[in-house]
Amino acid sequence: EPEVTQTPSHQVTQMGQEVILRCVPISNHLYFYWYRQILGQKVEFLVSFYNNEISEKSEIFDDQFSVERPDGSNFTLKIRSTKLEDSAMYFCASSVRGQAPGELFFGEGSRLTVL
Amino acid sequence: DAKTTQPNSMESNEEEPVHLPCNHSTISGTDYIHWYRQLPSQGPEYVIHGLTSNVNNRMASLAIAEDRKSSTLILHRATLRDAAVYYCILAYSGAGSYQLTFGKGTKLSVIP
């Protein structure tokens, strides 16, 4: 069964460092997303991406965050200068459709720990 | 997004049916009812969705009240693998991106 894959599974970084989280969405999907989940809290939407552009972003997705689809398969989330509060699980997702109803396929997540 | 209300936690015995309720009294006509679940240390996983009619798939059934103000996710025979947090989410079919708003969900424990 096709799946969304994410790397790394866990990254530890120092505050102020840049981090890139990588995702390989399902190959025929056109819509891509990043969500995050701080430990013990809700899953939160960060950003959606379609046709090489950001479709929508939340208040969390400030200027420190950026997304890119550098080639035909990868989708990346960059955090320019990490803060302690960026420590969380980051989930990539993809979908065929850009609207409900339908299924978002999530990856297993990348755990980011900022020290 | 319209809000949903779910119990914080539920317990079930293994191999028994589980009914997970969700209230969504402010649902609008274009809102689809989605259920996702999150197993420990994993990403959310789609379970099922519906609009007005009851729905069945290989994972579960979704029973939707006639007035659409509530719904119930039914797991016909709970297994230990079904222990997870279950999220009831409304998503409208309209312009704009497909953004899911997760609440706290219902933590389902399955007792062997």
Side-chain angles (χ1 to χ4, degrees), chain A residues 74-104:
Chain A
N74 289 285
F75 179 51
T76 62
L77 174 70
K78 184 194 290 188
I79 309 174
R80 245 177 288 282
S81 177
T82 49
K83 306 184 188 95
L84 294 176
E85 54 264 38
D86 293 328
S87 294
M89 280 290 282
Y90 288 81
F91 296 108
C92 175
S94 68
S95 65
V96 172
R97 286 168 55 89
Q99 319 180 340
E103 182 174 354
L104 259 63

PDB file of all heavy atoms in Angstrom, chain A residues 74-104:
ATOM      1  N   ASN A  74      10.053  15.067  -3.434  1.00  0.00           N
ATOM      2  CA  ASN A  74      10.199  15.493  -2.045  1.00  0.00           C
ATOM      3  C   ASN A  74       9.396  16.739  -1.731  1.00  0.00           C
ATOM      4  O   ASN A  74       9.142  17.578  -2.597  1.00  0.00           O
ATOM      5  CB  ASN A  74      11.679  15.783  -1.747  1.00  0.00           C
ATOM      6  CG  ASN A  74      12.493  14.520  -1.691  1.00  0.00           C
ATOM      7  OD1 ASN A  74      12.432  13.780  -0.734  1.00  0.00           O
ATOM      8  ND2 ASN A  74      13.260  14.267  -2.749  1.00  0.00           N
ATOM      9  N   PHE A  75       9.001  16.837  -0.466  1.00  0.00           N
ATOM     10  CA  PHE A  75       8.309  18.019   0.045  1.00  0.00           C
ATOM     11  C   PHE A  75       8.966  18.316   1.389  1.00  0.00           C
ATOM     12  O   PHE A  75       9.027  17.440   2.254  1.00  0.00           O
ATOM     13  CB  PHE A  75       6.818  17.699   0.192  1.00  0.00           C
ATOM     14  CG  PHE A  75       5.976  18.811   0.740  1.00  0.00           C
ATOM     15  CD1 PHE A  75       6.028  20.088   0.200  1.00  0.00           C
ATOM     16  CD2 PHE A  75       5.089  18.573   1.779  1.00  0.00           C
ATOM     17  CE1 PHE A  75       5.233  21.108   0.694  1.00  0.00           C
ATOM     18  CE2 PHE A  75       4.295  19.591   2.283  1.00  0.00           C
ATOM     19  CZ  PHE A  75       4.372  20.858   1.747  1.00  0.00           C
ATOM     20  N   THR A  76       9.493  19.532   1.538  1.00  0.00           N
ATOM     21  CA  THR A  76      10.282  19.807   2.732  1.00  0.00           C
ATOM     22  C   THR A  76       9.683  20.927   3.557  1.00  0.00           C
ATOM     23  O   THR A  76       9.031  21.837   3.029  1.00  0.00           O
ATOM     24  CB  THR A  76      11.736  20.179   2.370  1.00  0.00           C
ATOM     25  OG1 THR A  76      11.716  21.376   1.586  1.00  0.00           O
ATOM     26  CG2 THR A  76      12.424  19.067   1.603  1.00  0.00           C
ATOM     27  N   LEU A  77       9.947  20.845   4.856  1.00  0.00           N
ATOM     28  CA  LEU A  77       9.614  21.916   5.792  1.00  0.00           C
ATOM     29  C   LEU A  77      10.925  22.396   6.389  1.00  0.00           C
ATOM     30  O   LEU A  77      11.680  21.594   6.947  1.00  0.00           O
ATOM     31  CB  LEU A  77       8.690  21.409   6.898  1.00  0.00           C
ATOM     32  CG  LEU A  77       8.381  22.388   8.032  1.00  0.00           C
ATOM     33  CD1 LEU A  77       7.489  23.525   7.535  1.00  0.00           C
ATOM     34  CD2 LEU A  77       7.684  21.677   9.206  1.00  0.00           C
ATOM     35  N   LYS A  78      11.181  23.689   6.267  1.00  0.00           N
ATOM     36  CA  LYS A  78      12.392  24.262   6.839  1.00  0.00           C
ATOM     37  C   LYS A  78      12.021  25.185   7.979  1.00  0.00           C
ATOM     38  O   LYS A  78      11.102  26.009   7.836  1.00  0.00           O
ATOM     39  CB  LYS A  78      13.177  25.045   5.787  1.00  0.00           C
ATOM     40  CG  LYS A  78      14.511  25.595   6.322  1.00  0.00           C
ATOM     41  CD  LYS A  78      15.128  26.642   5.415  1.00  0.00           C
ATOM     42  CE  LYS A  78      15.644  26.098   4.133  1.00  0.00           C
ATOM     43  NZ  LYS A  78      16.399  27.103   3.346  1.00  0.00           N
ATOM     44  N   ILE A  79      12.738  25.043   9.070  1.00  0.00           N
ATOM     45  CA  ILE A  79      12.613  25.996  10.178  1.00  0.00           C
ATOM     46  C   ILE A  79      13.954  26.708  10.253  1.00  0.00           C
ATOM     47  O   ILE A  79      14.989  26.089  10.484  1.00  0.00           O
ATOM     48  CB  ILE A  79      12.282  25.301  11.516  1.00  0.00           C
ATOM     49  CG1 ILE A  79      11.081  24.363  11.354  1.00  0.00           C
ATOM     50  CG2 ILE A  79      11.986  26.357  12.590  1.00  0.00           C
ATOM     51  CD1 ILE A  79      10.766  23.526  12.595  1.00  0.00           C
ATOM     52  N   ARG A  80      13.928  28.020  10.028  1.00  0.00           N
ATOM     53  CA  ARG A  80      15.161  28.774   9.836  1.00  0.00           C
ATOM     54  C   ARG A  80      16.007  28.873  11.100  1.00  0.00           C
ATOM     55  O   ARG A  80      17.191  28.650  11.085  1.00  0.00           O
ATOM     56  CB  ARG A  80      14.845  30.192   9.346  1.00  0.00           C
ATOM     57  CG  ARG A  80      15.340  30.488   7.951  1.00  0.00           C
ATOM     58  CD  ARG A  80      14.931  31.885   7.519  1.00  0.00           C
ATOM     59  NE  ARG A  80      13.506  31.986   7.242  1.00  0.00           N
ATOM     60  CZ  ARG A  80      12.935  31.543   6.124  1.00  0.00           C
ATOM     61  NH1 ARG A  80      13.634  30.974   5.186  1.00  0.00           N
ATOM     62  NH2 ARG A  80      11.631  31.678   5.945  1.00  0.00           N
ATOM     63  N   SER A  81      15.412  29.222  12.181  1.00  0.00           N
ATOM     64  CA  SER A  81      16.125  29.421  13.443  1.00  0.00           C
ATOM     65  C   SER A  81      15.257  28.839  14.552  1.00  0.00           C
ATOM     66  O   SER A  81      14.322  29.499  15.026  1.00  0.00           O
ATOM     67  CB  SER A  81      16.372  30.917  13.659  1.00  0.00           C
ATOM     68  OG  SER A  81      16.994  31.142  14.906  1.00  0.00           O
ATOM     69  N   THR A  82      15.565  27.613  14.920  1.00  0.00           N
ATOM     70  CA  THR A  82      14.656  26.888  15.811  1.00  0.00           C
ATOM     71  C   THR A  82      14.605  27.491  17.209  1.00  0.00           C
ATOM     72  O   THR A  82      15.594  28.029  17.728  1.00  0.00           O
ATOM     73  CB  THR A  82      15.075  25.420  15.924  1.00  0.00           C
ATOM     74  OG1 THR A  82      16.484  25.350  16.203  1.00  0.00           O
ATOM     75  CG2 THR A  82      14.785  24.657  14.645  1.00  0.00           C
ATOM     76  N   LYS A  83      13.399  27.391  17.793  1.00  0.00           N
ATOM     77  CA  LYS A  83      13.189  27.832  19.173  1.00  0.00           C
ATOM     78  C   LYS A  83      12.824  26.596  20.005  1.00  0.00           C
ATOM     79  O   LYS A  83      12.414  25.565  19.453  1.00  0.00           O
ATOM     80  CB  LYS A  83      12.037  28.821  19.249  1.00  0.00           C
ATOM     81  CG  LYS A  83      12.144  30.016  18.318  1.00  0.00           C
ATOM     82  CD  LYS A  83      10.986  30.968  18.562  1.00  0.00           C
ATOM     83  CE  LYS A  83      10.942  32.068  17.528  1.00  0.00           C
ATOM     84  NZ  LYS A  83      10.065  31.815  16.416  1.00  0.00           N
ATOM     85  N   LEU A  84      12.913  26.745  21.307  1.00  0.00           N
ATOM     86  CA  LEU A  84      12.556  25.630  22.188  1.00  0.00           C
ATOM     87  C   LEU A  84      11.128  25.151  21.925  1.00  0.00           C
ATOM     88  O   LEU A  84      10.847  23.952  21.921  1.00  0.00           O
ATOM     89  CB  LEU A  84      12.703  26.036  23.655  1.00  0.00           C
ATOM     90  CG  LEU A  84      14.103  26.345  24.145  1.00  0.00           C
ATOM     91  CD1 LEU A  84      14.066  26.839  25.592  1.00  0.00           C
ATOM     92  CD2 LEU A  84      15.018  25.137  24.032  1.00  0.00           C
ATOM     93  N   GLU A  85      10.243  26.117  21.664  1.00  0.00           N
ATOM     94  CA  GLU A  85       8.825  25.784  21.477  1.00  0.00           C
ATOM     95  C   GLU A  85       8.529  25.121  20.130  1.00  0.00           C
ATOM     96  O   GLU A  85       7.387  24.742  19.868  1.00  0.00           O
ATOM     97  CB  GLU A  85       7.942  27.024  21.671  1.00  0.00           C
ATOM     98  CG  GLU A  85       8.324  28.202  20.816  1.00  0.00           C
ATOM     99  CD  GLU A  85       9.223  29.202  21.552  1.00  0.00           C
ATOM    100  OE1 GLU A  85      10.106  28.759  22.337  1.00  0.00           O
ATOM    101  OE2 GLU A  85       9.058  30.410  21.307  1.00  0.00           O
ATOM    102  N   ASP A  86       9.524  24.976  19.291  1.00  0.00           N
ATOM    103  CA  ASP A  86       9.351  24.236  18.039  1.00  0.00           C
ATOM    104  C   ASP A  86       9.473  22.733  18.258  1.00  0.00           C
ATOM    105  O   ASP A  86       9.227  21.942  17.331  1.00  0.00           O
ATOM    106  CB  ASP A  86      10.384  24.677  16.996  1.00  0.00           C
ATOM    107  CG  ASP A  86      10.177  26.107  16.539  1.00  0.00           C
ATOM    108  OD1 ASP A  86       9.012  26.559  16.499  1.00  0.00           O
ATOM    109  OD2 ASP A  86      11.180  26.779  16.237  1.00  0.00           O
ATOM    110  N   SER A  87       9.863  22.335  19.440  1.00  0.00           N
ATOM    111  CA  SER A  87       9.946  20.902  19.748  1.00  0.00           C
ATOM    112  C   SER A  87       8.565  20.286  19.626  1.00  0.00           C
ATOM    113  O   SER A  87       7.614  20.713  20.294  1.00  0.00           O
ATOM    114  CB  SER A  87      10.479  20.702  21.172  1.00  0.00           C
ATOM    115  OG  SER A  87      11.809  21.140  21.287  1.00  0.00           O
ATOM    116  N   ALA A  88       8.449  19.286  18.759  1.00  0.00           N
ATOM    117  CA  ALA A  88       7.140  18.690  18.457  1.00  0.00           C
ATOM    118  C   ALA A  88       7.340  17.532  17.488  1.00  0.00           C
ATOM    119  O   ALA A  88       8.436  17.322  16.952  1.00  0.00           O
ATOM    120  CB  ALA A  88       6.213  19.727  17.817  1.00  0.00           C
ATOM    121  N   MET A  89       6.248  16.802  17.259  1.00  0.00           N
ATOM    122  CA  MET A  89       6.195  15.856  16.139  1.00  0.00           C
ATOM    123  C   MET A  89       5.659  16.623  14.949  1.00  0.00           C
ATOM    124  O   MET A  89       4.651  17.331  15.064  1.00  0.00           O
ATOM    125  CB  MET A  89       5.248  14.696  16.444  1.00  0.00           C
ATOM    126  CG  MET A  89       5.839  13.635  17.321  1.00  0.00           C
ATOM    127  SD  MET A  89       7.127  12.683  16.507  1.00  0.00           S
ATOM    128  CE  MET A  89       6.145  11.595  15.501  1.00  0.00           C
ATOM    129  N   TYR A  90       6.298  16.463  13.826  1.00  0.00           N
ATOM    130  CA  TYR A  90       5.850  17.115  12.594  1.00  0.00           C
ATOM    131  C   TYR A  90       5.386  16.026  11.633  1.00  0.00           C
ATOM    132  O   TYR A  90       6.127  15.098  11.317  1.00  0.00           O
ATOM    133  CB  TYR A  90       6.984  17.944  11.981  1.00  0.00           C
ATOM    134  CG  TYR A  90       7.271  19.185  12.783  1.00  0.00           C
ATOM    135  CD1 TYR A  90       8.066  19.135  13.927  1.00  0.00           C
ATOM    136  CD2 TYR A  90       6.712  20.413  12.424  1.00  0.00           C
ATOM    137  CE1 TYR A  90       8.305  20.275  14.685  1.00  0.00           C
ATOM    138  CE2 TYR A  90       6.943  21.554  13.174  1.00  0.00           C
ATOM    139  CZ  TYR A  90       7.741  21.477  14.307  1.00  0.00           C
ATOM    140  OH  TYR A  90       7.964  22.600  15.066  1.00  0.00           O
ATOM    141  N   PHE A  91       4.138  16.171  11.200  1.00  0.00           N
ATOM    142  CA  PHE A  91       3.548  15.187  10.306  1.00  0.00           C
ATOM    143  C   PHE A  91       3.348  15.797   8.923  1.00  0.00           C
ATOM    144  O   PHE A  91       2.767  16.879   8.791  1.00  0.00           O
ATOM    145  CB  PHE A  91       2.185  14.717  10.825  1.00  0.00           C
ATOM    146  CG  PHE A  91       2.244  13.997  12.138  1.00  0.00           C
ATOM    147  CD1 PHE A  91       1.775  14.598  13.291  1.00  0.00           C
ATOM    148  CD2 PHE A  91       2.753  12.712  12.213  1.00  0.00           C
ATOM    149  CE1 PHE A  91       1.818  13.935  14.512  1.00  0.00           C
ATOM    150  CE2 PHE A  91       2.808  12.028  13.426  1.00  0.00           C
ATOM    151  CZ  PHE A  91       2.340  12.656  14.579  1.00  0.00           C
ATOM    152  N   CYS A  92       3.798  15.086   7.934  1.00  0.00           N
ATOM    153  CA  CYS A  92       3.520  15.431   6.547  1.00  0.00           C
ATOM    154  C   CYS A  92       2.292  14.635   6.106  1.00  0.00           C
ATOM    155  O   CYS A  92       2.065  13.503   6.590  1.00  0.00           O
ATOM    156  CB  CYS A  92       4.732  15.049   5.700  1.00  0.00           C
ATOM    157  SG  CYS A  92       4.518  15.261   3.929  1.00  0.00           S
ATOM    158  N   ALA A  93       1.488  15.195   5.239  1.00  0.00           N
ATOM    159  CA  ALA A  93       0.334  14.494   4.695  1.00  0.00           C
ATOM    160  C   ALA A  93       0.173  14.858   3.227  1.00  0.00           C
ATOM    161  O   ALA A  93       0.672  15.892   2.772  1.00  0.00           O
ATOM    162  CB  ALA A  93      -0.934  14.843   5.471  1.00  0.00           C
ATOM    163  N   SER A  94      -0.528  13.985   2.512  1.00  0.00           N
ATOM    164  CA  SER A  94      -0.824  14.292   1.116  1.00  0.00           C
ATOM    165  C   SER A  94      -2.219  13.784   0.781  1.00  0.00           C
ATOM    166  O   SER A  94      -2.772  12.930   1.497  1.00  0.00           O
ATOM    167  CB  SER A  94       0.220  13.683   0.177  1.00  0.00           C
ATOM    168  OG  SER A  94       0.165  12.273   0.157  1.00  0.00           O
ATOM    169  N   SER A  95      -2.782  14.316  -0.282  1.00  0.00           N
ATOM    170  CA  SER A  95      -4.118  13.900  -0.694  1.00  0.00           C
ATOM    171  C   SER A  95      -4.270  14.060  -2.195  1.00  0.00           C
ATOM    172  O   SER A  95      -3.556  14.847  -2.834  1.00  0.00           O
ATOM    173  CB  SER A  95      -5.192  14.697   0.042  1.00  0.00           C
ATOM    174  OG  SER A  95      -5.153  16.074  -0.311  1.00  0.00           O
ATOM    175  N   VAL A  96      -5.237  13.325  -2.723  1.00  0.00           N
ATOM    176  CA  VAL A  96      -5.561  13.449  -4.146  1.00  0.00           C
ATOM    177  C   VAL A  96      -6.364  14.718  -4.375  1.00  0.00           C
ATOM    178  O   VAL A  96      -6.114  15.485  -5.298  1.00  0.00           O
ATOM    179  CB  VAL A  96      -6.365  12.220  -4.614  1.00  0.00           C
ATOM    180  CG1 VAL A  96      -6.871  12.410  -6.032  1.00  0.00           C
ATOM    181  CG2 VAL A  96      -5.501  10.965  -4.526  1.00  0.00           C
ATOM    182  N   ARG A  97      -7.363  14.906  -3.504  1.00  0.00           N
ATOM    183  CA  ARG A  97      -8.233  16.061  -3.609  1.00  0.00           C
ATOM    184  C   ARG A  97      -7.753  17.176  -2.698  1.00  0.00           C
ATOM    185  O   ARG A  97      -7.129  16.933  -1.669  1.00  0.00           O
ATOM    186  CB  ARG A  97      -9.649  15.674  -3.171  1.00  0.00           C
ATOM    187  CG  ARG A  97     -10.415  14.837  -4.140  1.00  0.00           C
ATOM    188  CD  ARG A  97     -11.668  14.279  -3.471  1.00  0.00           C
ATOM    189  NE  ARG A  97     -12.498  15.336  -2.896  1.00  0.00           N
ATOM    190  CZ  ARG A  97     -13.455  15.980  -3.545  1.00  0.00           C
ATOM    191  NH1 ARG A  97     -13.696  15.678  -4.805  1.00  0.00           N
ATOM    192  NH2 ARG A  97     -14.165  16.915  -2.953  1.00  0.00           N
ATOM    193  N   GLY A  98      -8.144  18.399  -3.050  1.00  0.00           N
ATOM    194  CA  GLY A  98      -7.805  19.537  -2.202  1.00  0.00           C
ATOM    195  C   GLY A  98      -8.945  19.988  -1.323  1.00  0.00           C
ATOM    196  O   GLY A  98      -8.860  21.014  -0.653  1.00  0.00           O
ATOM    197  N   GLN A  99     -10.052  19.241  -1.343  1.00  0.00           N
ATOM    198  CA  GLN A  99     -11.200  19.621  -0.535  1.00  0.00           C
ATOM    199  C   GLN A  99     -11.817  18.372   0.049  1.00  0.00           C
ATOM    200  O   GLN A  99     -11.646  17.283  -0.470  1.00  0.00           O
ATOM    201  CB  GLN A  99     -12.295  20.290  -1.367  1.00  0.00           C
ATOM    202  CG  GLN A  99     -11.882  21.246  -2.393  1.00  0.00           C
ATOM    203  CD  GLN A  99     -13.072  21.823  -3.140  1.00  0.00           C
ATOM    204  OE1 GLN A  99     -14.156  21.251  -3.142  1.00  0.00           O
ATOM    205  NE2 GLN A  99     -12.871  22.951  -3.757  1.00  0.00           N
ATOM    206  N   ALA A 100     -12.588  18.576   1.084  1.00  0.00           N
ATOM    207  CA  ALA A 100     -13.394  17.482   1.616  1.00  0.00           C
ATOM    208  C   ALA A 100     -14.442  17.096   0.571  1.00  0.00           C
ATOM    209  O   ALA A 100     -14.861  17.934  -0.214  1.00  0.00           O
ATOM    210  CB  ALA A 100     -14.078  17.931   2.901  1.00  0.00           C
ATOM    211  N   PRO A 101     -14.913  15.855   0.569  1.00  0.00           N
ATOM    212  CA  PRO A 101     -14.487  14.797   1.488  1.00  0.00           C
ATOM    213  C   PRO A 101     -13.279  14.064   0.936  1.00  0.00           C
ATOM    214  O   PRO A 101     -12.893  14.276  -0.206  1.00  0.00           O
ATOM    215  CB  PRO A 101     -15.695  13.866   1.488  1.00  0.00           C
ATOM    216  CG  PRO A 101     -16.222  13.972   0.084  1.00  0.00           C
ATOM    217  CD  PRO A 101     -15.991  15.400  -0.332  1.00  0.00           C
ATOM    218  N   GLY A 102     -12.731  13.247   1.738  1.00  0.00           N
ATOM    219  CA  GLY A 102     -11.625  12.454   1.243  1.00  0.00           C
ATOM    220  C   GLY A 102     -10.615  12.190   2.321  1.00  0.00           C
ATOM    221  O   GLY A 102     -10.757  12.606   3.463  1.00  0.00           O
ATOM    222  N   GLU A 103      -9.594  11.537   1.908  1.00  0.00           N
ATOM    223  CA  GLU A 103      -8.626  11.018   2.850  1.00  0.00           C
ATOM    224  C   GLU A 103      -7.313  11.770   2.760  1.00  0.00           C
ATOM    225  O   GLU A 103      -6.770  11.944   1.661  1.00  0.00           O
ATOM    226  CB  GLU A 103      -8.397   9.535   2.542  1.00  0.00           C
ATOM    227  CG  GLU A 103      -7.458   8.829   3.456  1.00  0.00           C
ATOM    228  CD  GLU A 103      -7.404   7.337   3.172  1.00  0.00           C
ATOM    229  OE1 GLU A 103      -8.187   6.847   2.337  1.00  0.00           O
ATOM    230  OE2 GLU A 103      -6.562   6.673   3.796  1.00  0.00           O
ATOM    231  N   LEU A 104      -6.834  12.227   3.901  1.00  0.00           N
ATOM    232  CA  LEU A 104      -5.467  12.703   4.003  1.00  0.00           C
ATOM    233  C   LEU A 104      -4.628  11.534   4.484  1.00  0.00           C
ATOM    234  O   LEU A 104      -4.992  10.849   5.440  1.00  0.00           O
ATOM    235  CB  LEU A 104      -5.347  13.850   5.015  1.00  0.00           C
ATOM    236  CG  LEU A 104      -5.270  15.259   4.449  1.00  0.00           C
ATOM    237  CD1 LEU A 104      -6.525  15.602   3.701  1.00  0.00           C
ATOM    238  CD2 LEU A 104      -4.989  16.253   5.547  1.00  0.00           C
TER     239      LEU A 104
END
